[in-house]
Amino acid sequence: MATLTFHGAAQEVTGSCHLLESPALGRVLLDCGLHQGGDAVERLHEETLPFDPKAIDAVVLSHAHLDHSGRLPLLVNRGFNGLIHCTEATVDLLELMLEDAAGLYLRDLERANVRNRRRGKPLRKADYSRADVHKALKQCQPHAYGETWSLGPAATVCFHDAGHILGSAIVELTLTEKARRKTLVFSGDLGKSDAVLMNDPAVLTRADLVMMEATYGDRNHRSIDNTLAELGEILQATWERGGNVMIPSFAVGRTQEILFHLGRLHQRGELSRWQIFLDSPMAIKATRLYDRWFHLLDRDDVKHIERSHHSSIEDFLPNLNCAVSTDESMAINRIKAGAIIIAGSGMCTGGRIRHHFKHRIWNARNALVFIGFQARNTLGRILVDGAKHISMFGEDYVVKARIETLGGFSAHADQSQLADWLGHFDGPPRVVLVHGEPRALDALSHKLWKEQQIRCEVPAIGESLVF
C-alpha cells in the first residue's frame, strides 16, 4: 500500500511538502516548499525536514514558487542526491528564484550576525549555501507537458498544464502495487479559468486519489472586467489626491499578469499620465523568461500583444521603467505623485516593497493595492486585516495609505472553479484538500459535499493516509 504524509501546506497555505512512499516508487516528495511569514533568517532556521533527506529517492515539483520549492537547497544540504523532476519552464524559473532567495537569505544572515556580534551573542551558521542551490539546479530533470515518464520500478508520471504560472503543473502519478494500478492526481496550484497569459488548467477525468489545493476555497473572485474597473477607480482617486500607488507583487506570475493588464489600459489611453515602475530585478528577469516561453502561454493573449506590434510583455507597456540597481530603486522615492510602483515581495515579507512602505505608507494620499493572497503571519496579511501601525527596520510606522484588495487578479482558482475542476473526475475519487487555511478548507468541503456528495479529507501537519 502507498502512504502519503503531509509535511506542509496542511491546514495552511505555504510550505507545500508531501511524502509519498510505496514499493512502486520508493520515497518521493511532492514539492519541498518554504513556509512564508516572519523574519527570513528565523523562518529558515526553524524549518524542519521531518524525514531523512538521504533516504528520499526523488522530488516531483509542481512549480517554481518558493512556497513549493524553497526548501530544495536545504534538502540538498542535508544529503538529498536524487533527481528533481519538473517542467522545462520551471527549470528556468527555479534558477532565478532560488538564486534570488539565497542572496536575500545570506544578506539577512550577515546583518543578523553583525547584530549578534555587537550584542555578544553566538553567530548563526548558514542553513544552506549558494553551492547547495547550484547542486539542486544540477539535479533538475525537465519534462514536457503530456510526456509520460518512469519514476521508480513501477510508477509513471505525466505533467499537465495547471495554468497558475509559467511551467506550473498538475501531477498525474500512476503506480502499480500487487498488479493493481492506482492513480494519484496532485493539483499543485490551479490557475483561474479566465486568467490572462495562462491557459485554463488541464481537465483530468481519472484518479483514485485527488490532492487538491484550496487557497480560495471560501470565496469567488470578481470578474476581471469588474476588477479592472475597480483598479481604474483606485488610480483616478489616487491621482486626484496627488498620491502614488504601491502594488506588492510576486515576481513570477502575478507581475507579468498585472503588466499585461496595465498594458491593456495603456492601449486604451488610460495610463498616459502615470509613471510605472517595476522595482524588482527578479521580476524583470522573470518577465523576460515569459517572453522566451511565449509558445506555452494563452494564444489569445499573446496574439493581442503581437497585434499591437510588440514582441514582449515589457514592450507592450512603453511607459514602464525597470529599476534594477539599488540607486534606480531609491530614485523612485523622489517622485512625489503619479507613480505606480510594482515591487516584491508579494506578501511583503521582504524585498523592495518594504522600502517603499517606509517612504509612503504613512501618507494618506497614497494607495496600497494587494493583488494576491496574503498568508497568515505575513506583513501583507497584517495590513489587509487593518493594522494601524506596523514595525519595519526596527522602527514603528503609522499606516495612513488607503489599503485596497483586488481579488480578481489572483492566480489561483476560486471556489466555483475548484469545484468545477474536481467535478470532471469519474467516480468520484477520494479527495484530500491541502494548501488552504481552515476556513477555506471547511467552506470548500461543505460545498463539495452539498453539491457533489464528495466527502473530503483535511489532513493536519504530520498526518498520514494510506491508499
Side-chain angles (χ1 to χ4, degrees):
M1 300 293 283
T3 302
L4 186 61
T5 305
F6 305 90
H7 293 298
Q11 300 184 32
E12 60 183 349
V13 168
T14 63
S16 180
C17 185
H18 316 286
L19 176 59
L20 179 61
E21 300 174 272
S22 166
L25 48 70
R27 307 181 83 231
V28 173
L29 286 182
L30 302 176
D31 287 347
C32 192
L34 193 65
H35 290 88
Q36 295 178 299
D39 177 81
V41 174
E42 292 294 335
R43 182 173 66 246
L44 187 61
H45 185 68
E46 292 170 0
E47 287 283 10
T48 60
L49 295 173
F51 44 79
D52 181 4
K54 296 177 183 177
I56 300 298
D57 297 296
V59 176
V60 177
L61 185 64
S62 66
H63 65 286
H65 274 154
L66 290 177
D67 61 326
H68 293 257
S69 70
R71 273 189 279 181
L72 288 173
L74 189 64
L75 187 74
V76 167
N77 176 273
R78 298 185 183 176
F80 169 68
N81 284 306
L83 291 176
I84 299 167
H85 298 278
C86 56
T87 65
E88 297 166 311
T90 293
V91 176
D92 281 352
L93 287 176
L94 199 59
E95 179 178 3
L96 184 63
M97 299 197 75
L98 293 183
E99 289 277 9
D100 183 79
L104 292 173
Y105 164 63
L106 293 172
R107 282 195 294 274
D108 286 349
L109 179 64
E110 185 177 355
R111 293 190 190 101
N113 278 335
V114 168
R115 292 194 298 270
N116 288 341
R117 191 177 289 110
R118 288 173 181 165
R119 297 168 183 171
K121 293 183 178 180
L123 301 186
R124 177 167 290 171
K125 293 182 179 180
D127 289 288
Y128 73 86
S129 68
R130 287 187 182 274
D132 296 315
V133 172
H134 299 157
K135 188 172 185 297
L137 293 172
K138 288 179 180 178
Q139 291 170 221
C140 286
Q141 177 65 57
H143 303 275
Y145 288 132
E147 169 195 347
T148 299
W149 42 276
S150 297
L151 180 69
T156 60
V157 177
C158 184
F159 287 135
H160 304 273
D161 194 346
H164 174 61
I165 64 168
L166 184 65
S168 60
I170 299 165
V171 179
E172 181 183 22
L173 191 155
T174 300
L175 51 88
T176 303
E177 294 178 328
K178 297 181 179 178
R180 183 191 168 198
R181 285 169 57 87
K182 294 182 284 187
T183 298
L184 163 66
V185 171
F186 171 39
S187 73
D189 283 355
L190 291 173
K192 294 191 303 176
S193 58
D194 59 350
V196 299
L197 299 180
M198 296 292 99
N199 298 302
D200 289 353
V203 171
L204 281 70
T205 60
R206 172 75 183 90
D208 297 286
L209 175 66
V210 175
M211 181 166 60
M212 185 175 76
E213 69 121 320
T215 309
Y216 283 97
D218 59 343
R219 73 197 86 167
N220 289 319
H221 303 314
R222 297 187 69 180
S223 72
I224 194 61
D225 288 340
N226 288 338
T227 301
L228 285 173
E230 189 176 356
L231 175 61
E233 292 168 3
I234 293 168
L235 292 177
Q236 180 63 29
T238 307
W239 181 271
E240 292 173 356
R241 292 196 304 269
N244 302 277
V245 174
M246 297 172 285
I247 304 178
S249 185
F250 298 100
V252 177
R254 209 64 46 83
T255 290
Q256 291 71 42
E257 293 196 7
I258 193 65
L259 290 179
F260 180 86
H261 288 302
L262 291 174
R264 293 289 297 272
L265 293 176
H266 172 80
Q267 300 297 318
R268 301 204 299 254
E270 298 180 26
L271 287 182
S272 57
R273 301 179 297 180
W274 290 90
Q275 297 182 75
I276 303 167
F277 295 91
L278 178 53
D279 189 16
S280 168
M282 184 168 70
I284 294 165
K285 293 177 183 176
T287 301
R288 290 164 186 161
L289 277 179
Y290 268 63
D291 295 339
R292 272 180 52 190
W293 290 94
F294 252 24
H295 65 280
L296 291 183
L297 304 182
D298 183 276
R299 289 306 306 163
D300 290 337
D301 294 328
V302 170
K303 286 177 181 177
H304 189 93
I305 294 173
E306 292 170 342
R307 280 198 302 269
S308 302
H309 307 293
H310 299 290
S311 59
S312 69
I313 303 170
E314 200 173 332
D315 291 341
F316 188 51
L317 184 58
N319 53 339
L320 175 67
N321 302 279
C322 293
V324 176
S325 69
T326 303
D327 287 344
E328 290 171 325
S329 177
M330 293 173 64
I332 301 171
N333 297 327
R334 295 196 288 269
I335 298 173
K336 301 303 181 185
I340 299 172
I341 305 162
I342 305 164
S345 65
M347 295 186 189
C348 312
T349 54
R352 293 182 177 182
I353 193 65
R354 292 163 70 100
H355 293 276
H356 293 295
F357 286 177
K358 178 179 179 180
H359 291 273
R360 303 185 192 278
I361 203 166
W362 43 266
N363 189 329
R365 292 195 299 269
N366 297 322
L368 170 55
V369 181
F370 287 99
I371 59 173
F373 187 84
Q374 303 300 308
R376 286 178 296 185
N377 302 319
T378 64
L379 177 57
R381 181 62 165 269
I382 290 168
L383 287 164
V384 167
D385 286 345
K388 301 302 181 184
H389 293 265
I390 59 172
S391 178
M392 299 185 302
F393 312 113
E395 296 184 28
D396 184 71
Y397 293 85
V398 64
V399 179
K400 291 187 177 179
R402 307 288 181 93
I403 308 296
E404 308 281 357
T405 300
L406 297 180
F409 286 136
S410 173
H412 287 265
D414 63 16
Q415 185 191 68
S416 294
Q417 292 164 345
L418 290 168
D420 179 71
W421 181 80
L422 189 62
H424 286 89
F425 284 93
D426 298 330
R430 184 178 179 184
V431 176
V432 175
L433 298 182
V434 295
H435 208 280
E437 293 181 355
R439 186 175 68 178
L441 296 165
D442 289 345
L444 185 57
S445 295
H446 178 75
K447 178 181 179 68
L448 292 172
W449 173 248
K450 182 178 179 181
E451 297 182 1
Q452 300 183 33
Q453 287 70 58
I454 295 175
R455 193 179 299 278
C456 299
E457 299 172 59
V458 181
I461 290 286
E463 189 175 334
S464 299
L465 63 82
V466 177
F467 77 100

